[in-house]
Amino acid sequence: MTCVPGAPGAPGREGAKGDLGSPGKTGTQGPPGTGGKKGAKGEPGIQGSAGQKGQRGDKGDSGTSRLASHMNWKECAWKKNCDFVKKYSDTSLHVYYAGNLRVGFCDNCCSRWYFTFNGAECSSPGTIDGAFYMRTGRNRNRHHHRQIEGHCNNIQKGKVRVGFSVGKCVTGYKLADAWTGWHSMNRIFIEEVAKAQQ
């Protein structure tokens, strides 16, 4: 006996919601997004109140490049020490002695004249001095006009006592009978100048 299938039945009712499944694995990161559009310009802020006026600063030193030699100089005639007021720390002092110096009444003898600055000889670039030696017999007594001159660096501004002294020469010579000045004007000259080029 052959069975013939019947017509499909009507759909059944929706079943109840099942339990939540376990979470899946994290996916790969996607590509970065494109930049957003520029935002609209904001309105200007409120203007702040004016600040207090600052104190007036001290007056600066004039540039040494414009320091002319005639602006600060002194001549002492005749003194063994000459007080000088130096205006700047980054300048040099140019000094010279012009006058009569002599050694006499000795043989194989020597005297040395030199400048000092506040009691010490110049160290930069070196001493400013002159040595006079005699070996012509003990009764010789020669007087000559001479000049001793140079520059001294690294001297601070302010009062500087510039001295001109006489003493012994290098070891091995007797100290001569020395005399500074004789029947003529003698001068110590001091001027503040810009340092020499390197």
Side-chain angles (χ1 to χ4, degrees), residues 89-105:
S89 292
D90 59 345
T91 54
S92 299
L93 288 185
H94 171 218
V95 296
Y96 69 77
Y97 166 83
N100 196 284
L101 303 176
R102 76 102 157 112
V103 294
F105 307 113

Side-chain angles (χ1 to χ4, degrees), residues 68-75 84-85 189-192:
S69 62
H70 67 272
M71 290 177 62
N72 194 22
W73 64 273
K74 187 174 183 179
E75 181 177 305
F84 183 83
V85 179
F189 184 86
I190 310 164
E191 63 177 338
E192 185 173 6

